[in-house]
Amino acid sequence: MSDEKLVVNESPKKKISFFSAILIVLGGSIGAGIFLRSKSVLKYSANNLIWAILFWLIAGFAIICMALALIEVASGRNDNLGMIGWAKAFNTLYIYKGTKAFMTYLYLPFTYFFMPYYVIVQFQDGLSAFKDVNINFGESKLAPWFYFLIGLGLTLWMLFTAGISSRAGNIQNWIVTLVKFLPIVLVVLISFYLIVNNAGTTNSKLVLNKVTKSTLFDKNATTLFGVSPFLAVFGALGGIFFAFDGFYVSAGVQSEMKNPEKTPAALAIGLASMTGIYVVIATFMTLAAGDGGFYAYFDLISAKWKWLFGLVNIFISVGIVGILNGFTMWATRWIEDLIKEGELTVPTPIYKYMKNAKMPIVGTLFILIISLPFMVIFTAIGAYAYFGGGYDEQYGYKIDNLLTFSDLMADWMAVFAFAFIMASVGGAIKNRKQKFIAVVENKHTIWAGSVAMVFVLLTMVFMVLNPFVSWILQLAKNNYKDASGKLTTDFLGAVCASALFIVYTIVAFASTPIEKAVVMAQQKSINSKLGKVSGKELDDLMLAKELNDLAVKTFTEARV
């Protein structure tokens, strides 16, 4: 791949202003995580508000460093592949093929499995604030399938609006972005009101707990992060990093900016602003409610103000729709780019149609075909074969199980995504010496990339270790069964998380040799038919050869 030119000529039309670029960064990071992470971060901080704020600042600094490093990474590709293209440009065969397999066969379909469910549950929370509104589907035992049908409807809407038309996606994005900022303003104002009126005085005493010798080590801990606050730091940082998940797509705005040289400043200001917003919300919610919990916070609001809780949750629900909208705009186009580069194989008539199509119809249908089985199968597994514990029973029959299972799927998504991104950052630093890809060099890449790699990779390592260490500790302490002799949900959750990590790793990396064997066998089959066919059959064969040659090229030109 050393001879491949990956820097594409800049577009003559550049419409994104400096301020608009900052808004893109902010809009890509705002979701439910901004409100739901403060409680877990405070818990990992030994209920010490000062520590919690420090962790938010450290995580924000690490994210800003990553964003600055991604400027140079993004300059190595100017297409729709995002982190897959970055991996192809800066990493070796197995890393970039693993990134492609992970994003296409795991991240993409699982996003359409669990993301609509988060929209639904947040909307249910919003409706629950209003009197006489039933949110549990009339206690029907078909509740998981009502979730599925609503999620499918939302997925189809996204695919056939934002997926097909970038104009429709942009309009929806503007609307949603405006709505996203409303809950932020409301939460800050309500928090200020509660603090001024001493509504949270009793609970707020918890937030300045001193860290003593007795809290530095817990010999009875059954999780890695529970052993010591020094280890819990990585749990806090991991939770905060996940709240920023998705920001990295904004690094690609450089090619569309009026002043590309201001991209690092736009990313830094945008993410620094987001860090400030996160810290303000976490601090205000903690001072108002004591434990930083979103739901405990709203429990303090008097009955006549409960409708505010409803509005905030509905706005958050719309914000999650916005994340799905942006992801869909990217996904349909990245699928078609993968096909054009030989990374995905489709029947030759479809490939022929796609080459001349003006809209990403093929990418849209590909996503629907690959995602729909995931949505059906994992809805059934989550609702009927998994266990609950992460949510209340108020949402409907087996919905607690389904949402807890969705969390399990979603948590590993962010870990793998951040790890693959950091591999590309490491490749960009290595590229400074080896010069295997032409890039626009940025003065911040070396120091910012190095800092980000230390913080992010170290955190990801501990996030991976935590479930494995947790079930081992529970086995060692004989603490894996409850009073009735059944395995505890904590133990089962840790075991399932560990097993899922192994499955994700196998899917990501074991597919490469299989893909290569199929591609080479197809090449041999096509070559054996050349000279034996004519007319339309020959035309079809040559088109199949064109597509397969692209696939072969992905292996022969890759760095190993």
Side-chain angles (χ1 to χ4, degrees):
M1 192 164 59
S2 58
D3 296 328
E4 184 179 2
K5 182 176 175 61
L6 293 177
V7 177
V8 180
N9 292 333
E10 296 179 354
S11 171
K13 295 183 179 180
K14 297 184 178 182
K15 302 178 180 179
I16 298 178
S17 66
F18 179 65
F19 182 71
S20 295
I22 294 174
L23 290 182
I24 290 173
V25 177
L26 291 171
S29 300
I30 297 175
I34 192 173
F35 304 102
L36 303 180
R37 293 292 180 182
S38 59
K39 181 176 180 178
S40 62
V41 173
L42 184 64
K43 177 183 175 182
Y44 285 133
S45 308
N47 285 325
N48 186 292
L49 181 60
I50 304 301
W51 276 43
I53 293 175
L54 179 62
F55 294 160
W56 279 102
L57 293 174
I58 291 173
F61 176 68
I63 291 293
I64 292 171
C65 288
M66 185 195 295
L68 292 176
L70 285 178
I71 299 302
E72 185 166 323
V73 173
S75 74
R77 302 280 299 199
N78 191 6
D79 52 27
N80 296 313
L81 290 179
M83 58 187 287
I84 303 172
W86 302 342
K88 186 172 185 177
F90 295 100
N91 296 121
T92 54
L93 176 68
Y94 272 86
I95 297 297
Y96 95 74
K97 287 287 186 180
T99 306
K100 179 199 74 174
F102 167 76
M103 291 298 295
T104 305
Y105 303 121
L106 292 174
Y107 195 105
L108 187 151
F110 273 127
T111 294
Y112 290 103
F113 161 64
F114 59 72
M115 194 65 75
Y117 292 170
Y118 291 148
V119 174
I120 298 169
V121 71
Q122 212 69 48
F123 195 79
Q124 284 179 292
D125 279 336
L127 293 179
S128 69
F130 300 96
K131 292 182 178 180
D132 302 323
V133 177
N134 185 293
I135 66 168
N136 63 2
F137 303 100
E139 299 183 358
S140 170
K141 291 188 176 182
L142 294 175
W145 299 109
F146 289 139
Y147 252 60
F148 165 76
L149 291 174
I150 297 171
L152 177 60
L154 181 57
T155 295
L156 290 172
W157 173 263
M158 289 293 105
L159 287 175
F160 289 99
T161 55
I164 294 292
S165 169
S166 59
R167 183 172 181 271
N170 282 329
I171 292 173
Q172 291 175 167
N173 185 62
W174 270 100
I175 296 171
V176 169
T177 300
L178 292 174
V179 174
K180 279 183 176 184
F181 284 97
L182 295 177
I184 295 175
V185 175
L186 284 174
V187 165
V188 172
L189 291 177
I190 295 169
S191 297
F192 184 76
Y193 169 81
L194 292 174
I195 294 169
V196 170
N197 288 277
N198 297 317
T201 299
T202 301
N203 288 331
S204 64
K205 293 179 181 178
L206 296 171
V207 303
L208 294 177
N209 281 354
K210 294 182 179 179
V211 178
T212 62
K213 290 183 179 180
S214 62
T215 59
L216 288 179
F217 177 77
D218 183 3
K219 64 180 181 180
N220 296 317
T222 55
T223 66
L224 176 62
F225 295 148
V227 171
S228 170
F230 292 110
L231 294 177
V233 168
F234 298 104
L237 293 179
I240 297 170
F241 287 154
F242 297 167
F244 282 92
D245 190 29
F247 87 90
Y248 35 80
V249 178
S250 62
V253 303
Q254 184 176 24
S255 62
E256 299 296 329
M257 284 187 66
K258 294 178 180 178
N259 303 106
E261 70 279 2
K262 292 185 177 180
T263 304
L267 284 165
I269 293 173
L271 286 169
S273 300
M274 182 55 61
T275 301
I277 292 172
Y278 274 29
V279 171
V280 168
I281 288 180
T283 303
F284 270 70
M285 287 178 61
T286 302
L287 290 175
D291 65 354
F294 182 68
Y295 296 98
Y297 162 82
F298 273 99
D299 285 341
L300 295 172
I301 299 177
S302 62
K304 67 178 182 179
W305 296 105
K306 288 292 184 182
W307 61 271
L308 278 176
F309 173 77
L311 284 180
V312 169
N313 275 286
I314 291 172
F315 291 152
I316 293 173
S317 178
V318 174
I320 301 173
V321 171
I323 294 174
L324 194 59
N325 179 75
F327 178 78
T328 302
M329 290 178 66
W330 174 41
T332 56
R333 291 156 182 84
W334 114 48
I335 290 296
E336 293 204 351
D337 276 13
L338 283 179
I339 295 172
K340 292 173 183 177
E341 292 200 6
E343 295 289 355
L344 293 176
T345 301
V346 295
T348 50
I350 295 178
Y351 177 60
K352 183 178 181 180
Y353 168 82
M354 189 192 74
K355 290 178 65 177
N356 301 308
K358 295 182 179 180
M359 295 189 295
I361 301 293
V362 172
T364 298
L365 294 178
F366 182 98
I367 291 174
L368 183 60
I369 291 170
I370 196 175
S371 298
L372 186 56
F374 273 70
M375 295 168 67
V376 174
I377 293 170
F378 287 101
T379 295
I381 292 175
Y384 304 108
Y386 202 62
F387 52 86
Y391 295 82
D392 292 334
E393 297 290 341
Q394 64 175 337
Y395 302 113
Y397 179 75
K398 298 289 187 179
I399 298 302
D400 177 22
N401 299 15
L402 180 57
L403 292 174
T404 302
F405 181 73
S406 297
D407 288 345
L408 178 68
M409 300 291 108
D411 285 346
W412 283 129
M413 295 289 114
V415 170
F416 275 79
F418 272 79
F420 281 128
I421 290 170
M422 294 318 302
S424 296
V425 172
I429 294 174
K430 188 177 181 180
N431 184 57
R432 283 295 187 93
K433 292 183 177 180
Q434 298 187 4
K435 305 294 183 183
F436 47 81
I437 290 295
V439 296
V440 179
E441 294 189 358
N442 186 288
K443 64 181 180 180
H444 303 290
T445 300
I446 301 298
W447 75 264
S450 300
V451 169
M453 289 186 69
V454 170
F455 279 108
V456 177
L457 287 181
L458 194 58
T459 299
M460 294 304 107
V461 167
F462 277 92
M463 295 297 291
V464 170
L465 288 176
N466 185 53
F468 288 92
V469 173
S470 295
W471 64 260
I472 292 173
L473 284 175
Q474 291 177 60
L475 280 176
K477 297 177 183 296
N478 197 28
N479 195 25
Y480 59 96
K481 292 182 179 180
D482 58 22
S484 63
K486 294 182 179 180
L487 296 176
T488 65
T489 56
D490 287 343
F491 179 77
L492 288 172
V495 170
C496 290
S498 302
L500 192 62
F501 172 79
I502 295 172
V503 171
Y504 279 11
T505 303
I506 292 174
V507 171
F509 295 104
S511 60
T512 301
I514 298 174
E515 179 186 349
K516 184 175 182 180
V518 171
V519 167
M520 295 307 175
Q522 182 72 3
Q523 183 186 45
K524 185 177 180 180
S525 175
I526 292 173
N527 289 338
S528 68
K529 295 177 182 178
L530 291 176
K532 300 179 182 179
V533 296
S534 60
K536 184 179 183 302
E537 193 174 353
L538 177 60
D539 292 340
D540 291 341
L541 185 63
M542 293 306 296
L543 193 62
K545 185 178 186 304
E546 176 186 329
L547 185 57
N548 195 72
D549 285 347
L550 289 172
V552 172
K553 186 178 179 181
T554 66
F555 288 96
T556 57
E557 295 190 355
R559 290 184 296 112
V560 295

